[in-house]
Amino acid sequence: AYAILEQRSLKSPDSLERLREFARKCQDAKVDSRAIEYLESQAPDAYLDPLLASLITEPVRLPTSDNVMDLAVIKGQLLSDPRDPFNRAPLTVDMLEPLPELKQEIAQWRERKMEEYRSSTQ
């Protein structure tokens, strides 16, 4: 499409450059989504959020059930229902316990796996 627009002068050079940048961003997003799928397929269960099965980036412990979840996921859950999703006990965001050691462990694992992913896709 870009070549046709350029060849027939249907768009200004600025518009063509914006189109090229948009296409590059789309390609990057496609690669990113594949990398995320790879990470989630390789992740130990302890690194996956139990509700969404997505890789945890900001782990927190729910003190009412002792489960570990991603902060963004549990915040979203608590907006609609202020109870622990595992035992229905009352729960608020300020009760959540951050887990910095687990966060660092997941980040290190993620970096190792991304290195593996990059080397396998080259």
Side-chain angles (χ1 to χ4, degrees), residues 4 6 9 22 33 52 60 63 68 103 111 116:
I4 292 170
E6 183 178 42
S9 299
F22 175 73
S33 69
L52 298 184
V60 292
V68 174
K103 180 179 180 175
E111 283 304 311
E116 287 177 22

Side-chain angles (χ1 to χ4, degrees), residues 10 14 16 18 50 57 66 68 72-73 77 80 85-87 93-94 98-99 102 104 121:
L10 296 174
D14 185 50
L16 288 171
R18 286 197 317 265
T57 57
D66 208 37
V68 174
V73 174
Q77 173 72 22
S80 63
F86 300 98
N87 63 11
V93 172
D94 59 323
L99 299 171
L102 181 58
Q104 183 177 14
T121 58

Side-chain angles (χ1 to χ4, degrees), residues 19-39:
L19 177 61
R20 178 178 279 148
E21 181 65 18
F22 175 73
R24 187 191 61 73
K25 286 180 181 179
C26 289
Q27 185 63 32
D28 290 348
K30 182 178 176 183
V31 170
D32 288 349
S33 69
R34 286 186 190 148
I36 290 168
E37 288 174 13
Y38 173 78
L39 287 172

Side-chain angles (χ1 to χ4, degrees), residues 89-105:
L91 182 65
T92 60
V93 172
D94 59 323
M95 294 169 66
L96 303 174
E97 302 167 5
L99 299 171
E101 298 86 12
L102 181 58
K103 180 179 180 175
Q104 183 177 14
E105 182 182 322

Side-chain angles (χ1 to χ4, degrees), residues 107-122:
Q108 291 170 346
W109 174 87
R110 180 185 171 117
E111 283 304 311
R112 285 193 311 273
K113 286 297 179 179
M114 284 304 295
E115 291 289 324
E116 287 177 22
Y117 177 77
R118 286 185 203 106
S119 63
S120 71
T121 58
Q122 292 180 3

Side-chain angles (χ1 to χ4, degrees), residues 45-46 48-54 56 59-71 73-75 77-78 81-92 96 99:
D45 288 343
L48 295 174
D49 181 82
L51 289 185
L52 298 184
S54 58
I56 294 173
V60 292
R61 180 176 317 285
L62 283 59
T64 51
S65 66
D66 208 37
N67 283 295
V68 174
M69 292 186 67
D70 189 71
L71 179 61
V73 174
I74 190 61
K75 276 183 168 181
Q77 173 72 22
L78 293 175
D81 186 3
R83 293 181 287 191
D84 185 315
F86 300 98
N87 63 11
R88 313 308 292 158
L91 182 65
T92 60
L96 303 174
L99 299 171

